Structure formats: structure tokens, C-alpha cells
Amino acid sequence: MQEIGHFIGGKHVAGTSGRTAIVYNPATGEVQATVALASVAEIRAAVENAKAAQPKWAATNPQRRARVFFKFVELLNKHMDELAEMLSKEHGKTIEDSKGDIIRGLEVCEFVCGIPHLAKGEFTEGAGPAIDMYSIRQPVGIGAGITPFNFPGMIPMWMFAPAIACGNAFILKPSERDPSLPIRLAELIIEAGLPAGILNVVNGDKAAVDAILADPDIAAISFVGSTPIARYVYGTAAMNGKRAQCFGGAKNHMIIMPDADMDQAVNALMGAGYGSAGERCMAISVAVPVGEDTANRLVEKLVPKIESLRIGPYTDDKADMGPLVTKDAYNRVNGLIDRGVEEGAKLVVDGRGFKLQGYEDGYFVGGSLFDHVTPSMDIYKTEIFGPVLSVVRAKNYEDALDLPMKHEYGNGVAIYTRDGDAARDFASRINIGMIGVNVPIPVPLAYHSFGGWKASSFGDLNQHGTDSIKFWTRTKTITARWPSGIKDGAEFVMPTMK
Ligand code: NAD
């Protein structure tokens, strides 16, 4: 059986902790590999490699650092089919969706090809008598990234691309559920010219995360995953004096106004609710039709589409969605559907018990739809992270707006309407980080920043865009006076520009 280890100092390294986790094929339930779970010593070995390599990399001029990313992008495109298959095999999502996952990461690599411009400082000539003042951005040193299972291509690249382009060395601790792709990305970036030791991939679980959080040489930590762990990583990192940005779970609503183009809204909900089997932090999991008539029309159009979803393994190139990632995820999602029934929501389409011929042991859950869900129900409050859409009927626009406003999470939200006034009012008042107007999954492109509000995000700088350059660098401001021969006496008051 395949044994997945680590990638440290530019080389594959077998695990030495004696602890491993199992990697399954979600479509068949078969064990396909084991992955090493790193100990404190293995994290330390990666940090030592990073520490030795980082100063030279930081001193490499930014154009040369950018060239590594130009080449890396080329290699990602060249190997796209192989990478997508590697991803799908462990995650379960369709090949086209895996390509989307990788391409969204590739776009961040394209963005950081502009690092010579992005990391430029600021200069003020004559800030005082013969005084110039300038600010420069220097790498933080060693950064670490802890990533979730659902985007094993995109999210590692969200983190390591800007961190490395800024001159840092990086320790990536990917999800233990789909660890192969991150290691392959590290191999490819070495082939693109990155010096060994600048990107290290160390597999592991809580023990590895705790070792990262405690390591005195790691200056900044980026985390993406569920909210309880995001909160824990943020708090611990801050207590240990590290910079941290931690992104958590979500419950994304889509408001459907009575004037919306219903076919467009229904198609949007199908893709955003059931694509990737609902295992996306920007999936729409709550539909909020405004008015009874809108709700009735919406449900009527959704039902046949959900019932005819094509569900299959990643090898079925016509499948709309695949299985869930693990048996635990399968049990959890089925349990939440049971809970919704107990709570009195109306289960209009029931995906429990879905079986695919020839894949009876796979972790498939059929598309499911609840109607008449209310805000007090667990299925409304909890992030289900499966192919389950809840309809919460709102009487009017204000009631609809109130739902995402009061929800614990604040990642993404969408409104479907033809009314520009309503859309503008919505975008302005809502307390959520990423807003779609007639766009169901409003994931910002690489040159803007990605991040939610409320319990979906801890820290103040987002992923990619200019925020990422700020996160992975420290500002230093220099005040210099030349010529140095100016003579004046000691000043005991604060100098001001009176
Ligand atoms: P998870 O929280 O279980 O795992 C995330 C990472 O934390 C993994 O690397 C894992 O090994 C590690 N981890 C797990 N338990 C830990 C513990 N007790 N202590 C320390 N580290 C631990 O998340 P997941 O199931 O892999 O991913 C799904 C979650 O991620 C969902 O909640 C989803 O909404 C969220 N997500 C959020 C975003 C975003 O940008 N906000 C993006 C993608 C996914």
C-alpha cells in the first residue's frame, strides 16, 4: 500500500513518529494509502530546513522570485490532468471540479508573479529638513499554513504562493484526508526553481498543528478549516506572539426576491448547493425566498432538478457531484438529515439511503431538500457540509435580510433580484464578507481578497490580494537625514511639523 510521508528540504522523507492515518477512496470506501502523522521532532526538522534556506531566498531579488512562479504556473498547466486526478481520487469531487480547485490556486500564483510591484515600499522625500522617510516590506521569516480537506489545491496555494513570493520559507500542514496533491505541488515548485527548504510539506494531525503553534521560529500562521479549530489556532497563535489569520465555517444564504429570474436562481442554487457535494465553504446551504408565491415557485422548480442530479465517482465525467470525503462525513450528514426530520422541517427530497450500483460502499449522499426550516432548528444553525439545502421562507425583504445578519457565520451571501435598489441596500447593510448580486458563489478573484466576517474569520487580513502581501511581510519605516553634517542642539519636545 502507498505510504505518504513528508516533503522536507526538497526531498521525500518517510514519517518517523510511528503514527499514521488512513486515506480512503471515497467512491469505493477502499483504503488507498496511509499518511504519516508528524511528531514535534519532524515539525522541528522542517523548521530547521526552512531556517537555513530562508535568508538567501529573502535576499534573492523579487524579479527572480517571480520567475519561479511564472515557471510553476507553466508546470501546473502542463500537469493539470494528472494533478486533477490525484485530487479527485482522494477527495471524491469530479475531475472538472478538481481542475477548478487547482486553477483557483494557480491564479494566486499568477497574481504573485507581480511581487516586484506588489511588495514595493513607500518613500517620502523631504519629510522634514533634509529628512527622507521610507517604508519597506520585509518577509516575516518562516510562515506556516494549515489547510482543510475540501480544497487541497487552491487553499495551500492561497497561502504558500504569497508567503514564498514575499521571501519567506513555508511549512505546509495539509489535511490528512487528501495529502497527495500538496506534496506534488511542492515537487513541481522545486522543479520550477524554488530552492530546497523554502516549501516544506509536513503531514499530520493535532499534534503537528500544536507543534507549529509552539515553535518559536514560526512567525505567522494561516489556517483554514472549521470554526472551533480556527478559534483555537487563532487564540493559541496570538498567545504565543505569532501573527495569525484563521478562516472558519459558513452557512451561506441566498435571498430570492419576488422579481428574480426564477430559472436563473434555481440553476444557481443547484450548482452552489450541490456542486462538490456541498463540501465548499462558499456553498449555498440556505435559500430564502421572499413571499409565499416565490417560495412555492422555487421549491416546485428545484425538486425535479435535485431528483435528477447525476451522482457518481470522479471517473464518471458526466457526474454533477461525487461522494462525501469520509465515512464520518457521511454519517454526520445523514445524522443531520435525521435531525431535521425530528425537528419538524419538511424533507421534500431525501438523499439518505442513496446507493450507486457498483459503489455500494462509497460515501454517497443524494441531493436533499428541506422546506419550512426555521432559525431555531439545528439544521439551520449548523454547517452541514453536505448536499443538503434548507429553504427558510421569509415574509418580506427585511425578514430575509435579518436571517444572514443574525446568523453566527458571515462568509458569503447572495441576492437574486432585478431590483438595483434592493441589491445595493443589501450589499451595503449586510454584515458578511463576500456578497453576490445574481452570483451564487461570490469567491473573489486572486487580485481581490477572500475572507468572511463573524465566526467565519479570526484576524484582520484576508487571503490573497494585497492583504496577503501585508500578512506575509512586516513593515519597517526608516527616517534618514542626509547630509549628516547639519548641526543643531538637543530637542526635548516631540518634533512636529509646526
Ligand atoms: P478541520 O477543521 O477538521 O481541519 C482543518 C485543519 O485543521 C486540518 O489540517 C486538520 O488536520 C487540522 N485539525 C483538525 N482537528 C484539529 C485539532 N483538534 N487541533 C488542531 N488542528 C486540527 O476542517 P475540514 O473538515 O478539513 O474542512 C472543512 C471545514 O473548513 C468547513 O467548516 C469549511 O467551512 C471550512 N472551510 C472554510 C474556508 C474559508 O475560507 N472560510 C474554506 C474552506 C473550508
Side-chain angles (χ1 to χ4, degrees), residues 146-150 155 158 173-177 204 206 209 223-226 229 247-250 281 383 385 411 450:
I146 300 157
T147 54
F149 81 87
N150 67 329
I155 296 180
W158 276 2
K173 205 302 286 168
S175 169
E176 60 277 41
R177 289 176 240 170
K206 178 171 167 54
V209 172
F223 172 91
V224 177
S226 58
I229 316 289
F247 300 87
C281 66
E383 180 185 40
F385 226 53
N411 217 35
F450 179 107

Side-chain angles (χ1 to χ4, degrees), residues 86-427:
M86 184 177 265
L87 195 167
S88 289
K89 211 171 154 190
E90 292 180 353
H91 178 287
K93 63 174 95 172
T94 63
I95 290 281
E96 281 312 304
D97 204 26
S98 288
K99 286 186 182 165
D101 182 331
I102 296 161
I103 290 168
R104 275 304 183 104
L106 177 156
E107 287 172 357
V108 178
C109 298
E110 288 176 334
F111 168 67
V112 305
C113 288
I115 196 67
H117 181 70
L118 290 167
K120 267 194 324 210
E122 296 171 335
F123 191 94
T124 304
E125 185 190 20
I131 290 178
D132 300 326
M133 195 174 282
Y134 58 103
S135 300
I136 56 176
R137 296 204 156 273
Q138 294 188 326
V140 295
I142 302 177
I146 300 157
T147 54
F149 81 87
N150 67 329
F151 283 101
M154 174 181 83
I155 296 180
M157 286 190 266
W158 276 2
M159 299 176 183
F160 76 66
I164 288 174
C166 287
N168 297 288
F170 200 79
I171 313 291
L172 172 66
K173 205 302 286 168
S175 169
E176 60 277 41
R177 289 176 240 170
D178 42 16
S180 291
L181 182 70
I183 291 211
R184 185 72 185 114
L185 295 178
E187 278 177 1
L188 288 177
I189 201 166
I190 293 275
E191 192 181 328
L194 188 74
I198 297 299
L199 177 59
N200 302 282
V201 183
V202 190
N203 283 305
D205 57 1
K206 178 171 167 54
V209 172
D210 285 342
I212 287 171
L213 287 168
D215 196 289
D217 288 318
I218 294 176
I221 297 182
S222 184
F223 172 91
V224 177
S226 58
T227 288
I229 316 289
R231 196 177 266 127
Y232 166 73
V233 170
Y234 186 69
T236 315
M239 222 157 52
N240 292 346
K242 299 181 194 309
R243 183 179 289 195
Q245 50 169 201
C246 299
F247 300 87
K251 194 82 177 176
N252 306 315
H253 295 57
M254 183 168 130
I255 315 292
I256 301 107
M257 295 293 284
D259 67 343
D261 177 326
M262 192 53 83
D263 289 320
Q264 193 191 29
V266 166
N267 284 330
L269 274 175
M270 289 305 298
Y274 301 100
S276 203
E279 290 176 322
R280 289 180 181 142
C281 66
M282 290 292 277
I284 296 286
S285 48
V286 183
V288 186
V290 174
E292 278 303 299
D293 174 57
T294 315
N296 294 338
R297 284 188 291 130
L298 177 75
V299 173
E300 193 185 318
K301 283 188 183 259
L302 273 173
V303 170
K305 286 194 181 265
I306 299 168
E307 284 172 343
S308 57
L309 272 169
R310 181 160 169 148
I311 303 169
Y314 76 88
T315 44
D316 173 1
D317 63 6
K318 294 200 178 58
D320 298 315
M321 66 181 224
L324 295 177
V325 67
T326 56
K327 184 86 180 179
D328 280 354
Y330 172 89
N331 289 336
R332 197 180 153 275
V333 170
N334 276 304
L336 279 159
I337 301 177
D338 294 345
R339 179 79 194 120
V341 174
E342 273 164 39
E343 288 180 305
K346 185 172 171 205
L347 184 58
V348 188
V349 185
D350 184 356
R352 294 171 298 181
F354 172 87
K355 285 283 172 227
L356 189 66
Q357 211 182 355
Y359 294 87
E360 286 77 5
D361 294 328
Y363 313 134
F364 295 96
V365 175
S368 304
L369 180 71
F370 276 114
D371 196 359
H372 298 285
V373 174
T374 63
S376 62
M377 292 180 183
D378 286 346
I379 56 161
Y380 177 74
K381 292 188 262 186
T382 312
E383 180 185 40
I384 298 178
F385 226 53
V388 185
L389 184 64
S390 296
V391 175
V392 182
R393 295 171 174 235
K395 282 200 199 69
N396 52 42
Y397 169 69
E398 288 297 332
D399 286 357
L401 176 76
D402 218 34
L403 287 162
M405 289 284 277
K406 289 198 174 137
H407 206 283
E408 177 192 4
Y409 295 115
N411 217 35
V413 71
I415 184 167
Y416 270 67
T417 181
R418 290 178 169 114
D419 180 345
D421 288 357
R424 190 171 184 280
D425 180 77
F426 182 76

